Each structure stands twice: as C-alpha cells, then as structure tokens.
C-alpha cells in the first residue's frame, strides 16, 4: 500500500503538469526548457551521485544479467511487434513497433523504480537504460529505415550515455567524488523526479477521445503496458535474483518512450501517430502501473 501511495504521488505531479499545460501557464518552449534541464543536468546528476556505491561481485553479476535481459527483451518485443503489425503501411508499422518495443525506462522508470524498490535499485534501472539506448539506435532504427538507418554513433551525442559511463566508472573503481561536488549532484539530481513527472503530465494535453478508436494503437499500448511486462514474470521460474527480475519487469512495464517520436521525426515517419501513441500509453499507464505493481 505504501508503494502504491508513492506512485500515486508521482501521478499527482503529472496532474500538475497537465494543469499547467491546460491553463497555458507553460507552453511548448517552457516544456522544452524543462526537458533539456532534466536530460542534460538533473538526470545525469542523479546517475552520477547514486552510482557511487560499493561494487560487490554479486551486484556486478546482477547488473550484467540486467543488461543482457534488457537487450533480449527489447529485441524480442521489437520482432514480435514488427510481425504483428505486418499489414500496416510502413510508416505506421515502424511507429507502432517502436511504441511496443521501447519503454520510458528513464524519465518515468527511474522515479517508479526508486519509489518501489528504493535508491539502491537505481543502478539496475541505469543499466537497463544503457541497453535501451543501444537497442533503440540499432534495431529500433532498423525498423524505421532499414540497415542504412542504424547509427550507433548517435549514442555518443546522448548526455545520458556519458553520465552512465561516468557513473559505472565510479561504481567499478570505487572512486568517490569530492563532498561539495556530491552535494551539488544530490541537490540537482533530486529535481529529476518532480520535473520528469511534470513534463510527462504536460504532454498529455495532446490526447483526444478519438485516439481511442485506433485499434492497432490500442494493441500497441496493450503490448507495451501489459503483455510484454507479464512475460517478464516468467523469469521468476529461473534462479535469477528477485532484484534482477523485478527491475527488468518494472522498466518493461513503463509506457511508450519519447524516443519513438524522436525517431519518427528523424526518419520522416508518422510523427503525429508517434506523439499520439506516447501520450496515450502514458495516460493508460496511470491505470496499469499501479496494477502491475501488485505483482512485484
């Protein structure tokens, strides 16, 4: 019950963002500014600060498993979805596949993981996010534009990747940043949760009742929010650590990632469908995430 109340608190932050957008207190430029703040400063600070933790052999093996499982589950979700939407024209097929394949494991996943499993579980979510970026710019890009669209070097332009690399370096070496730097990182990183949930909520302003009439889009949301996460629970039948399984499960249960809209823009695909799908899956997650938490 405590965890569910914490998650409801996160959704209240989303509601604040929606109200700000509805009342025009925050426009597109303001949202872009907040998004930039989170992407380039708050989230990297959170990662760098929280990954300064002792690296035991057991923990190292667990995060390796998380990375492998994350890559495998994202790839499997992509292949299954690509086949399911085979009758759609190419642009819609690529977007629907990406929506089903890629979860918002960073912006929304981090707050949910921390609220559900504690600060110590963030390292699992960080490793999952590293796998997410790798798969998004390889297999995910392939679904949009074929082999020529695969550009893994784009990873080097992502500030999150640099913070993950820096955080994992601190983790594996055991180095600690000076106290005053850690204090600054802690203060800045602490803004990640409220800012991300606020921005996510504000993006829901684009939703319309007519969006619920697109059956294929609803199927994509069902795959993203219910079916693929449920399949992860089968890993409980293996000897894997409960922390590993729960982390991969929760990251997979998140709504569609904004990366889908970004790639639709990049590859001149169905940008409107991508934005609509991200917003719809996020809205539906307000009902599905509390439900899926009951299975953790």
């Amino acid at each position: 019950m405590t965890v569910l109340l914490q998650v409801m608190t996160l959704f209240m932050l989303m509601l604040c963002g929606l109200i700000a957008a509805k009342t025009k207190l925050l426009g597109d430029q303001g949202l872009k500014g907040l998004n930039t703040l989170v992407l380039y400063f708050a989230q990297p600070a959170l990662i760098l600060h929280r990954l300064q933790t002792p690296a035991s052999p057991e923990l190292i093996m667990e995060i390796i498993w998380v990375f492998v499982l994350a890559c495998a589950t994202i790839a499997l979700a992509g292949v299954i979805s690509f086949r399911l939407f085979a009758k759609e024209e190419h642009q819609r097929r690529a977007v629907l596949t990406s929506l089903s394949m890629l979860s918002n494991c960073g912006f929304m996943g981090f707050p949910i993981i921390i609220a559900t499993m504690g600060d110590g579980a963030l390292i699992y979510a960080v490793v999952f996010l590293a796998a997410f970026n790798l798969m998004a710019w390889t297999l995910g890009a392939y679904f949009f534009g074929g082999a020529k669209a695969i550009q893994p070097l784009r990873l080097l332009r992502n500030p999150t990747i640099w913070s993950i690399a820096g955080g994992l370096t601190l983790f594996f070496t055991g180095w600690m940043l000076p106290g005053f730097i850690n204090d600054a990182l802690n203060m800045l990183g602490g803004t990640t949760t409220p800012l991300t949930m606020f921005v996510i909520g504000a993006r829901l302003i684009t939703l319309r009742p007519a969006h619920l009439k697109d059956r294929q889009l609803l199927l994509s949301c069902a795959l993203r929010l219910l079916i693929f996460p449920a399949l992860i629970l089968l890993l409980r039948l293996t000897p894997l650590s409960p922390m590993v399984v729960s982390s991969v499960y929760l990251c997979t249960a998140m709504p569609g990632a904004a990366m889908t809209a970004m790639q639709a823009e990049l590859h001149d695909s169905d940008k409107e469908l991508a934005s609509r799908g991200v917003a719809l899956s996020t809205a539906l997650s307000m009902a599905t995430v509390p439900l899926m938490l009951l299975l953790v």
Side-chain angles (χ1 to χ4, degrees):
M1 182 59 71
T2 302
V3 171
L4 288 176
L5 289 176
Q6 289 177 310
V7 172
M8 293 312 296
T9 300
L10 298 179
F11 288 151
M12 286 300 297
L13 294 172
M14 288 174 60
L15 179 60
C16 290
L18 178 59
I19 292 173
K22 280 281 188 182
T23 56
K24 301 188 184 303
L25 290 173
L26 196 66
D28 283 342
Q29 287 302 113
L31 284 175
K32 287 179 181 178
L34 289 179
N35 198 69
T36 300
L37 176 60
V38 172
L39 183 63
Y40 284 87
F41 294 96
Q43 192 176 72
L46 177 69
I47 292 170
L48 287 172
H49 181 259
R50 297 287 174 82
L51 260 59
Q52 294 175 68
T53 184
S56 67
E58 180 182 15
L59 181 56
I60 291 174
M61 185 55 63
E62 286 183 347
I63 64 173
I64 290 174
W65 269 113
V66 168
F67 183 80
V68 171
L69 289 172
C71 289
T73 55
I74 293 171
L76 183 61
V79 172
I80 291 174
S81 302
F82 197 65
R83 289 184 176 276
L84 282 177
F85 298 118
K87 293 184 180 180
E88 298 292 314
E89 58 92 16
H90 175 71
Q91 288 193 355
R92 274 182 60 88
R93 186 186 189 187
V95 170
L96 292 171
T97 297
S98 183
L99 284 168
S100 305
M101 171 185 175
L102 302 174
S103 69
N104 192 347
C105 57
F107 271 30
M108 192 164 175
F110 280 20
I112 297 292
I113 287 279
I114 292 172
T116 306
M117 302 171 63
D119 291 347
L122 182 65
I123 187 169
Y124 301 100
V126 167
V127 172
F128 191 102
L129 182 59
F132 163 92
N133 277 283
L134 175 62
M135 299 307 297
W137 291 113
T138 52
L139 184 62
Y142 174 83
F143 290 137
F144 277 96
K148 66 179 183 297
I150 298 176
Q151 300 179 34
L153 289 180
R154 285 185 178 274
L155 288 169
L156 299 180
R157 304 177 190 175
N158 190 326
T160 302
I161 290 297
W162 287 104
S163 63
I164 290 173
L168 290 177
T169 298
L170 295 172
F171 170 74
F172 284 115
T173 61
W175 294 340
M176 297 288 291
L177 296 174
F180 71 96
I181 294 180
N182 264 325
D183 289 343
L185 291 175
N186 186 37
M187 293 175 66
L188 187 55
T191 67
T192 302
T193 294
L195 288 179
T196 54
M197 302 311 290
F198 192 93
V199 171
I200 289 170
R203 295 298 186 192
L204 297 182
I205 194 174
T206 59
L207 282 178
R208 299 291 183 273
H211 297 167
L212 295 173
K213 296 180 181 180
D214 190 333
R215 293 185 178 181
Q216 295 299 82
L217 181 56
L218 289 175
L219 172 59
S220 178
C221 291
L223 290 168
R224 170 73 276 124
L225 296 169
L226 296 172
I227 298 173
F228 289 145
L231 293 176
I232 299 298
L233 293 178
L234 295 175
L235 293 174
R236 288 181 174 174
L237 302 175
T238 70
L240 288 170
S241 160
M243 285 290 283
V244 170
V245 177
S246 295
S247 300
V248 175
Y249 166 71
L250 286 176
C251 286
T252 305
M254 295 300 103
M259 177 70 77
T260 296
M262 183 188 304
Q263 291 196 327
E265 183 80 33
L266 180 66
H267 298 290
D268 197 24
S269 191
D270 195 333
K271 298 182 284 292
E272 196 274 335
L273 175 64
S275 298
R276 189 169 75 231
V278 172
L280 180 60
S281 67
T282 301
L284 293 175
S285 73
M286 297 179 72
T288 62
V289 167
L291 176 65
M292 301 306 273
L293 285 176
L294 297 176
L295 302 176
V296 175

